[in-house]
C-alpha cells in the first residue's frame, strides 16, 4: 500500500508549524489548510513531496501569524506557548527537544515571523538555504543573512548551560516535594536567587499578570497556593521533565529551566484553552 506523502510526513509538518506558531491548535489548522491544497495538486509535477509540503506548511504558518499577532494584542497577561505532552524518547534527539522546549519557543516569540521561519527551517530541520528561500519568498543570500541574525538573537537569550535528562528529572522531583511541603525555605533552596516565574492564565484562570522575580517572592507565592485539593504529577512536556497540576480550580502545566542544579525559570500555563494536549502525547519529529 502506498502511503500519501502528507500522511507519511504529518508529524514533521506538525512539528514545523508548531515551532513557528507556538500553538498546537493553530498548527493543526495550518495542517488542515495545507491538506486541502495538497488534495488539488498534480502529484506528477511534485518531484520532492516532503520539500513541497514543508514549503506549503511554512507559507500557511506565515499567513497564520497575522491572525495570531492581532489576537495577542488583546491577550490578558503574559503569553506562553501551548504546552504539549510528549513521549520521553523525544529527549533522545537533543536538538529537537531543545527546539520544542517552552523556554526556546518563548525566545522564538521575540523574532519576527520570517526570522522565526528561517531559524526553524534551517537551524532545527537543517533544510538547505535554497529551499528555505523558496518557502519564505527570499533569495538564498538574504536567507543566509536572516539566519545569522536569528542565531545571534537566540544565542543572546537562551540558557548557555546544558542540563542532562537525569539532572533535570531530579530537580523536578525536588520541586514537586517542595511544592507538597509548602515551606518557603524548601522552595527557595531549589531555586536560583534570580529565578523568574512567568504565568499564563489568559484572563481565564488565576495567574500573575507580569513576571515575578526573585526566589523569595516566587517561593512565597507558591507556598500560598492551595495544596489540599491539588494533585501534582511529574510528566514529560515539550521534550523535558515537567509538572502537571490538577486541582479544584483547574489544571496547570509547569515547565522549568535548570542551571547548576537550581531552577532559573518557571513557566506555568493555566489558561484552559491551552491545556487540551496534556492527555495524549504529541508526535514530534525531525
Amino acid at each position: 500500500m502506498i502511503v500519501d506523502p502528507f500522511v507519511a510526513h504529518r508529524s514533521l509538518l506538525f512539528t514545523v508549524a508548531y515551532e513557528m506558531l507556538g500553538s498546537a491548535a493553530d498548527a493543526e489548522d495550518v495542517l488542515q489548510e495545507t491538506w486541502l491544497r495538497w488534495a488539488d495538486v498534480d502529484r506528477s509535477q511534485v518531484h520532492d513531496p516532503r520539500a513541497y509540503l514543508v514549503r506549503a506548511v511554512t507559507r500557511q504558518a506565515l499567513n497564520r501569524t497575522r491572525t495570531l499577532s492581532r489576537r495577542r494584542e488583546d491577550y490578558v497577561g503574559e503569553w506562553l506557548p501551548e504546552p504539549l505532552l510528549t513521549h520521553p524518547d523525544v529527549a533522545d534527539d537533543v536538538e529537537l527537544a531543545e527546539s520544542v522546549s517552552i523556554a526556546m519557543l518563548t525566545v522564538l516569540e521575540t523574532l519576527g515571523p520570517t526570522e522565526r521561519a528561517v531559524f526553524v527551517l534551517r537551524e532545527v530541520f537543517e533544510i538547505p538555504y535554497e529551499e528555505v528561500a523558496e518557502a519564505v519568498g527570499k533569495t538564498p543570500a538574504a536567507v543566509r543573512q536572516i539566519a545569522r541574525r536569528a542565531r545571534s538573537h537566540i544565542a543572546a537569550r537562551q540558557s548557555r548551560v546544558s542540563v542532562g535528562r537525569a539532572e533535570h528529572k531530579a530537580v523536578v522531583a525536588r520541586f514537586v516535594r517542595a511544592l507538597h511541603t509548602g515551606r518557603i525555605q524548601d522552595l527557595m533552596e531549589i531555586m536560583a536567587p534570580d529565578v523568574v516565574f512567568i504565568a499564563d492564565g489568559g484572563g481565564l484562570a488565576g495567574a500573575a499578570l507580569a513576571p515575578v522575580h526573585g526566589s523569595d517572592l516566587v517561593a512565597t507565592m507558591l507556598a500560598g497556593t492551595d495544596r489540599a485539593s491539588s494533585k501534582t504529577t511529574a510528566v514529560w512536556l515539550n521534550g523535558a521533565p515537567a509538572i502537571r497540576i490538577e486541582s479544584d480550580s483547574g489544571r496547570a502545566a509547569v515547565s522549568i529551566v535548570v542551571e547548576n542544579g537550581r531552577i532559573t525559570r518557571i513557566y506555568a500555563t493555566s489558561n484552559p484553552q491551552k491545556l487540551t494536549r496534556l492527555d495524549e502525547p504529541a508526535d514530534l519529529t525531525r
Side-chain angles (χ1 to χ4, degrees), residues 6 36 63 96 142 150 170 177 190 216:
F6 183 92
L36 293 174
N63 290 338
L96 174 63
R177 289 195 296 272
I190 192 63
D216 53 346

Side-chain angles (χ1 to χ4, degrees), residues 9 38 45-53 55 131:
H9 299 300
W38 173 248
Q45 301 301 310
V46 179
H47 303 296
D48 187 342
R50 180 183 184 274
Y52 181 96
L53 288 166
R55 288 197 301 271
E131 291 184 25

Side-chain angles (χ1 to χ4, degrees), residues 11-121:
S11 294
L12 166 68
L13 300 176
F14 174 82
T15 308
V16 170
Y18 175 67
E19 291 202 29
M20 286 185 61
L21 300 171
S23 164
D26 288 294
E28 291 288 2
D29 288 344
V30 162
L31 260 62
Q32 180 65 22
E33 292 162 1
T34 303
W35 165 252
L36 293 174
R37 285 163 173 75
W38 173 248
D40 293 332
V41 169
D42 180 358
R43 310 294 172 82
S44 66
Q45 301 301 310
V46 179
H47 303 296
D48 187 342
R50 180 183 184 274
Y52 181 96
L53 288 166
V54 168
R55 288 197 301 271
V57 161
T58 300
R59 290 166 183 162
Q60 291 301 320
L62 285 171
N63 290 338
R64 173 72 52 157
T65 57
R66 301 188 185 95
T67 301
L68 292 180
S69 63
R70 291 192 296 270
R71 190 190 306 168
R72 289 172 195 172
E73 287 176 0
D74 301 323
Y75 200 78
V76 178
E78 295 292 310
W79 187 96
L80 288 176
E82 183 178 346
L84 297 178
L85 186 70
T86 52
H87 295 287
D89 59 10
V90 170
D92 293 339
D93 185 337
V94 176
E95 291 183 356
L96 174 63
E98 179 182 334
S99 72
V100 298
S101 70
I102 294 295
M104 175 59 81
L105 293 173
T106 302
V107 173
L108 289 177
E109 283 295 312
T110 63
L111 292 174
T114 300
E115 284 182 311
R116 184 169 181 168
V118 169
F119 182 85
V120 168
L121 295 179

